[in-house]
Amino acid sequence: MIRKYEGNPVVKPADVKPSIGGYHVKGALNPGATECNGEILLLLRVAENCEPKKGFVRVPTYRFDAGPARPDIMEWKADDPSIQLKDTRGVVFRGQDYLSTMSHIRLARSRDGFHFTVDEHPFIYPADETEKYGCEDARVTKIGDRYYINYTAVSQDSWATKLAVTKDFRTIERLGFIFHPENKDVAIFPEKVGGLYHALHRPNNSGFGRASIWYAESPDLLHWGNHRCIVRPLNTKWEAMKIGGGAPPIKTKDGWLVIAHGKGEGSLYSIFLVLLDLEQPWKVIKRAERPILTPTEKYETQGFFANVVFSNGVVEKDGELLIYYGAADESSCVAVTRVADLLNSF
Amino acid sequence: MIRKYEGNPVVKPADVKPSIGGYHVKGALNPGATECNGEILLLLRVAENCEPKKGFVRVPTYRFDAGPARPDIMEWKADDPSIQLKDTRGVVFRGQDYLSTMSHIRLARSRDGFHFTVDEHPFIYPADETEKYGCEDARVTKIGDRYYINYTAVSQDSWATKLAVTKDFRTIERLGFIFHPENKDVAIFPEKVGGLYHALHRPNNSGFGRASIWYAESPDLLHWGNHRCIVRPLNTKWEAMKIGGGAPPIKTKDGWLVIAHGKGEGSLYSIFLVLLDLEQPWKVIKRAERPILTPTEKYETQGFFANVVFSNGVVEKDGELLIYYGAADESSCVAVTRVADLLNSF
């Protein structure tokens, strides 16, 4: 039993104030989620492009040259011979790439988990050249009194996963890259098992197979090793292209419950479940063949990238499990269920 | 002053006994190198395919199904409708990839560093599904009385770096993946700096830039973090495609001397130098713009993959530096120089 909230989306691009004048919010998607001081917090990925200007090519960028890092607009005359238009990703100017959209992480706050107010300013945004093309898809894991936030840093060196930590969602300490390129979909377990921290991750696979869910362990959350590929895509229409982890695993009596995603035929994204052993989290106990959530609603089947549901944040509240998810790479939604229902759904 | 040994190659494919009858040695290349008990050891990458058989398609494979892992030959009638011929990499049979060549690591031994005897049997070879498509390009770092060997494990999950350790090159303990896919060209520093182990590595970059040399650190050689991209390719003909590290860095009075490789125009591989700070090895002191070794000799400009020189092993002996290198992805060679000469060459 899983129910998509009838008021979805809970955050739309129109709810988000642009970072600066001249930026336009295209997406408020793929929210990390947690609870802090009685508030449910979403860590939205906010994707922005530039308001069009006739006769000009404009792209968002970040400047790190003097003073604090800050968003800016690069603008060239459309007939400037030095610019090359690329695919939808952006333009190249004198050998330097500029993307058509730029992402940062923004907080949205709610008391009930369904009605959100979006902060006015970015929370995590590109701070240096290693994040020049954006900060994407945050996950939050609370361990003790600290919230560990991992996110995808995109740069000329490709995409990889960084870690940051906060106690209060006001200040943040950056802890550097924990998984080198090319790796995303990192989900850190909320407690140590066998004296070590654990995470799921999703390295690229440009070789003979398809990208899969990997496992790693760490003595300190900073250094990771003992990598193992633990879940590979099934030969189904739901997982034809690749799979990856989602939200931080949920501890249940039966095992670690993992909310994962599949990219299937026609690039359709859906959400499925995996159950891992409590003591040996690299061991798969059960693995669902069919998804629990697929794109069916208009806000999921139409948008910036149609036919996507993608979860990287869940919150347990009053006996219910709130599964937050990005819809159509454009908005943020919630589905309501119970852990017991998910365990029974395998 | 650097001199290619006039007796090159020091190991050719014909010097290597095939793993099993029916295998044919195509390459004895990219040697890791170290000194142990007065012997110079090369850790050759031995690449084998199958002797042709008329009317049949044959590829090397490893079996892990019963008993110890062992090499074997897959053979199908050439007109079997279930097999699909791929590019030179091999065939697909019922959805399973088989490669045309398979690599393992073999030891070669020498007293003088120039005349080698190749062991009869493989030293490191595919042990399970995570190495099903081969073990490639070993590097050896001696730390204390142990020799740490990292190598590229290739499988359906792509290519990544594993670690193993030995004291005597007779028995070996496998320590698992230290860098997840897609990563190779890992070179571990021979001592701790600032209380941590250090390594160079080379993640894939399928994004906006070109594959570059990264740095990482570890408390225990097993868990790695604080990844940083420290050397990116220059816009020269030598580094047009990508770069990567080579042999374990050499400690000198001026800094850590790194032997790296560039893949340039026309897929030509050459060898160049980088000097890193002794105390902060992620800081580049100097970086050569021109290579110290390029393919010039027939054994380098002709072969399995023409125009390649690629070093992943060096040995200091009697005041000289022996740079072992793979030539044309086919044989193993040595060039002789002195550390002081290399430091003066920047």
Side-chain angles (χ1 to χ4, degrees), chain A residues 97 99 133 155-158 177 180-183 203 205-206 208-209 214 217 219 222-227 229 232, chain B residues 97 133 155-158 177 180-183 203 205-206 208-209 214 217 219 222-227 229 232:
Chain A
D97 276 280
L99 305 198
Y133 298 153
S155 76
Q156 66 174 306
D157 304 315
S158 203
F177 281 105
H180 63 71
E182 293 171 320
N183 205 325
N205 187 348
S206 62
F208 308 104
W214 284 62
E217 52 195 41
L222 301 177
H223 305 90
W224 292 87
N226 204 9
H227 305 281
C229 184
R232 297 189 181 88
Chain B
D97 276 280
Y133 297 155
S155 76
Q156 65 175 305
D157 303 316
S158 204
F177 281 106
H180 62 72
E182 295 172 316
N183 204 325
N205 187 347
S206 62
F208 308 105
W214 285 61
E217 53 196 40
L222 301 177
H223 305 90
W224 293 87
N226 202 11
H227 305 281
C229 184
R232 297 188 181 88

Side-chain angles (χ1 to χ4, degrees), chain B residues 40-76:
Chain B
I40 289 181
L41 296 179
L42 296 187
L43 284 78
L44 304 168
R45 168 178 167 192
V46 172
E48 296 171 294
N49 66 358
C50 291
E51 299 284 1
K53 184 174 167 185
K54 198 165 178 190
F56 288 85
V57 172
R58 309 174 92 206
V59 291
T61 190
Y62 263 75
R63 294 202 176 272
F64 314 112
D65 44 1
R70 60 199 186 283
D72 198 5
I73 292 171
M74 291 294 288
E75 179 177 296
W76 304 274

Side-chain angles (χ1 to χ4, degrees), chain B residues 34-243:
Chain B
T34 193
E35 204 166 4
C36 178
N37 294 331
E39 278 187 326
I40 289 181
L41 296 179
L42 296 187
L43 284 78
L44 304 168
R45 168 178 167 192
V46 172
E48 296 171 294
N49 66 358
C50 291
E51 299 284 1
K53 184 174 167 185
K54 198 165 178 190
F56 288 85
V57 172
R58 309 174 92 206
V59 291
T61 190
Y62 263 75
R63 294 202 176 272
F64 314 112
D65 44 1
R70 60 199 186 283
D72 198 5
I73 292 171
M74 291 294 288
E75 179 177 296
W76 304 274
K77 283 193 177 168
D79 57 2
D80 186 328
S82 298
I83 67 166
Q84 301 161 250
L85 291 172
K86 285 179 71 175
D87 51 27
T88 54
R89 292 190 301 182
V91 301
V92 182
F93 179 70
R94 294 183 183 156
Q96 172 75 59
D97 276 280
Y98 294 89
L99 304 198
S100 57
T101 61
M102 171 78 70
S103 290
H104 69 266
I105 307 299
R106 185 88 64 103
L107 294 175
R109 302 162 188 275
S110 172
R111 287 282 158 188
D112 64 3
F114 299 95
H115 301 86
F116 284 89
T117 307
V118 182
D119 277 8
E120 287 222 347
H121 299 290
F123 175 54
I124 301 176
Y125 53 88
D128 59 34
E129 294 285 342
T130 68
E131 305 177 342
K132 191 181 173 72
Y133 297 155
C135 300
E136 305 179 353
D137 295 356
R139 271 92 170 169
V140 192
T141 303
K142 189 178 184 191
I143 303 178
D145 64 347
R146 283 154 203 268
Y147 297 85
Y148 289 89
I149 302 166
N150 60 264
Y151 59 97
T152 308
V154 187
S155 76
Q156 65 175 305
D157 303 316
S158 204
W159 38 276
T161 294
K162 283 191 163 180
L163 188 65
V165 64
T166 184
K167 280 188 169 183
D168 53 14
F169 288 91
R170 282 196 287 266
T171 62
I172 192 160
E173 184 187 357
R174 286 169 188 262
L175 302 171
F177 281 106
I178 53 171
F179 293 93
H180 62 72
E182 295 172 316
N183 204 325
K184 55 167 65 174
D185 297 328
V186 170
I188 297 172
F189 287 62
E191 60 185 70
K192 282 189 178 180
V193 179
L196 293 169
Y197 296 101
H198 300 261
L200 304 179
H201 60 101
R202 217 289 305 280
N204 200 10
N205 187 347
S206 62
F208 308 105
R210 289 171 282 162
S212 304
I213 299 174
W214 285 61
Y215 157 94
E217 53 196 40
S218 170
D220 55 12
L221 292 168
L222 301 177
H223 305 90
W224 293 87
N226 202 11
H227 305 281
R228 310 179 196 208
C229 184
I230 63 168
V231 191
R232 297 188 181 88
L234 300 174
N235 291 318
T236 64
K237 70 173 180 175
W238 306 108
E239 303 179 16
M241 297 179 71
K242 61 185 175 184
I243 61 173

